[in-house]
Amino acid sequence: QMSGEWDTIYPPMAGMKIVNNLWGIVGAGFDHGAGTGTIFTEDIQGSYAFGWAWDFTSYKPNSVISFQSVDWGWSPNSGAWFNGEVPLNKIGDNKEYTIDFDMKRTDRSGAWNTAFDIWLYPEMYPTGGSAGDKGGYEIMIWFDYEVQGPWGSNPQDVTINGKRWKVYDNNGDAGWRVVSYLSQEGPNAFESVRDFSITNFINDAQWRYSTDVDYNTPGLSKEHYINAIEFGNESCGGRGMLELNNYD
């Protein structure tokens, strides 16, 4: 296991890496909280598995301390590939992105979510952080959550992949637009997932938020690239552990 800030593990899945992302911890520049986070690999019934654990004290309620995650694609925050070059498609290419996994969540307390975090930009290789290039979108898919709320307002009901969600957005106030889909199915609805379509959420967001907000935040168009797909836990304080098996 590894516990350093930004420590990484390279799993056998193409284009992916596991990141001990403690971006809000004391000393990282934001000072949202203090504590420890670790990432690890393990064997579950002969199958490669991995996960992370966290234990934080919050200094700023509802402020994110960490997003420990498994990441794929091009990072707009670091301006680099997560783990080697992979094909990047535009929304209009109609590429189907599906995910399989089994997850186990234990020993959780405080404020957290378990979510996909998907980054889309007009550029294939955005740089300069989340707000570095105009027109960026961050689509989050929250499977479960406690205390923590989404960064957005104007909730709307939608059914995607046969499940009920509420979708929120923040109008691009921070320089990029955040769209968050929160599950309404209960905390145990996604322990074992097969052929979970991320594309369906991207297409719904593109239809729902295609209108320009202003010059700095154009609408989400079919010309936007799907730059990165990340899956992890945001923590705003508290503790917990997540283990992932059969992630593909």
Side-chain angles (χ1 to χ4, degrees):
Q1 67 180 29
M2 307 177 74
S3 57
E5 182 187 347
W6 301 112
D7 276 352
T8 60
I9 296 172
Y10 292 93
M13 301 89 75
M16 298 187 193
K17 76 175 177 181
I18 304 158
V19 183
N20 200 35
N21 181 348
L22 312 180
W23 68 266
I25 203 167
V26 167
F30 292 91
D31 296 348
H32 293 169
T36 58
T38 60
I39 54 176
F40 56 84
T41 63
E42 59 185 351
D43 183 285
I44 296 180
Q45 297 180 340
S47 176
Y48 179 87
F50 60 92
W52 41 82
W54 65 93
D55 190 351
F56 298 116
T57 298
S58 172
Y59 294 163
K60 295 181 180 179
N62 295 319
S63 294
V64 176
I65 300 170
S66 65
F67 184 62
Q68 296 161 287
S69 58
V70 55
D71 304 336
W72 172 94
W74 173 273
S75 170
N77 291 300
S78 65
W81 296 106
F82 284 119
N83 184 11
E85 185 172 353
V86 294
L88 298 180
N89 291 277
K90 295 180 179 180
I91 295 176
D93 293 336
N94 296 315
K95 165 73 173 177
E96 183 65 35
Y97 293 92
T98 60
I99 299 287
D100 299 341
F101 62 80
D102 299 302
M103 71 174 168
K104 180 180 180 182
R105 295 153 294 178
T106 54
D107 193 29
R108 295 185 298 173
S109 66
W112 44 264
N113 67 46
T114 305
F116 279 107
D117 199 12
I118 304 150
W119 297 91
L120 307 98
Y121 283 82
E123 299 82 10
M124 183 177 287
Y125 307 119
T127 59
S130 305
D133 288 336
K134 292 182 176 66
Y137 277 72
E138 179 182 8
I139 298 176
M140 299 197 74
I141 306 170
W142 292 27
F143 288 136
D144 65 357
Y145 44 93
E146 185 68 32
V147 180
Q148 184 183 2
W151 187 9
S153 57
N154 188 32
Q156 302 170 64
D157 293 315
V158 61
T159 298
I160 300 177
N161 293 345
K163 304 292 186 181
R164 296 171 299 119
W165 311 81
K166 283 190 181 293
V167 55
Y168 300 75
D169 83 286
N170 76 341
N171 290 318
D173 294 339
W176 75 100
R177 194 169 190 177
V178 181
V179 178
S180 301
Y181 292 85
L182 274 63
S183 170
Q184 306 299 297
E185 298 290 339
N188 300 316
F190 300 98
E191 291 184 337
S192 184
V193 171
R194 296 294 180 271
D195 295 324
F196 183 85
S197 175
I198 291 175
T199 304
N200 288 342
F201 290 87
I202 294 172
N203 288 339
D204 180 81
Q206 193 279 314
W207 168 79
R208 199 176 292 273
Y209 301 109
S210 60
T211 303
D212 294 358
V213 176
D214 54 32
Y215 171 75
N216 291 318
T217 311
L220 182 59
S221 80
K222 292 186 178 181
E223 293 300 305
H224 273 70
Y225 286 93
I226 302 161
N227 305 95
I229 299 173
E230 307 171 16
F231 180 76
N233 285 104
E234 284 186 317
S235 172
C236 296
R239 61 183 300 169
M241 182 170 70
L242 182 140
E243 298 166 275
L244 283 169
N245 188 22
N246 299 316
Y247 189 89
D248 188 26

